[in-house]
Amino acid sequence: MKSIIPSKVSLREVRPDDLPILFEHQMDPEGARMAAFKSRERDAFMAHWTKIMANPACAIRVILADGFVAGHIGPWTDGAERLVGYWIGRECWGRGIASAALTQFLDYETTRPFTARVAKHNLASIRVLQKAGFTPAGKETCDLPDGDKLVELVFKLR
């Protein structure tokens, strides 16, 4: 049975030796389903992260729970929108780690408004966003490569 006792959560810069752990997180089929995200193969993943880490303006952070890499969180800009996203390894789900990490990150990254997008079926992430003060701001439907449709909820933090 998984403990529901919150871990000690902290954030730090991403290091190259974190990448194999973050790669495994995004390869988890259940995590990818919850995020409605297509996992990248190793070379594509490493190239993507090398580019991110080389950007001096990069504010992406590793989430540590009790000193171990639990996931990552970070912002990006898409057009006029400033977005935030995170990924928590499945072994850390349900322990309050995402909520604690998002709260800490929003204290660090003070840009507002912030937008977050989440798959409609990802109830846990919806709750994390709501607890951090994000409010519903709409929804969008997009076509997935397999022909299915994805409903993505849009949240804003003003």
Side-chain angles (χ1 to χ4, degrees):
M1 185 169 154
K2 197 177 348 181
S3 169
I4 58 170
I5 299 170
S7 301
K8 180 181 182 309
V9 176
S10 60
L11 306 177
R12 67 159 166 75
E13 289 186 9
V14 179
R15 300 175 186 156
D17 59 336
D18 298 324
L19 297 184
I21 299 166
L22 301 181
F23 172 76
E24 290 301 323
H25 288 167
Q26 64 94 42
M27 287 300 294
D28 174 46
E30 182 62 10
R33 186 190 74 75
M34 291 301 291
F37 179 83
K38 186 176 181 333
S39 301
R40 290 183 170 103
E41 294 300 323
R42 181 173 287 278
D43 289 346
F45 177 88
M46 294 302 176
H48 175 74
W49 276 85
T50 299
K51 182 179 173 183
I52 290 171
M53 292 169 57
N55 180 347
C58 178
I60 200 160
R61 297 291 180 258
V62 159
I63 301 166
L64 299 173
D66 296 329
F68 296 96
V69 175
H72 69 276
I73 188 167
W76 70 96
T77 301
D78 186 5
E81 281 189 314
R82 186 73 169 157
L83 294 110
V84 64
Y86 55 87
W87 192 296
I88 305 295
R90 187 170 16 153
E91 66 279 4
C92 295
W93 291 2
R95 295 174 41 200
I97 293 168
S99 293
L102 182 56
T103 297
Q104 287 180 39
F105 185 78
L106 292 172
D107 286 342
Y108 166 79
E109 176 75 35
T110 59
T111 301
R112 303 292 185 268
F114 243 130
T115 301
R117 297 172 180 273
V118 62
K120 183 179 178 180
H121 63 263
N122 192 339
L123 301 178
S125 280
I126 291 168
R127 182 67 188 124
V128 167
L129 293 170
Q130 291 171 329
K131 287 184 347 187
F134 284 79
T135 56
K139 70 180 177 180
E140 296 178 4
T141 302
C142 61
D143 294 317
L144 297 175
D146 64 4
D148 285 344
K149 296 213 178 288
L150 170 68
V151 177
E152 194 173 55
L153 303 178
V154 179
F155 287 82
K156 295 278 186 187
L157 180 66
R158 301 191 192 281

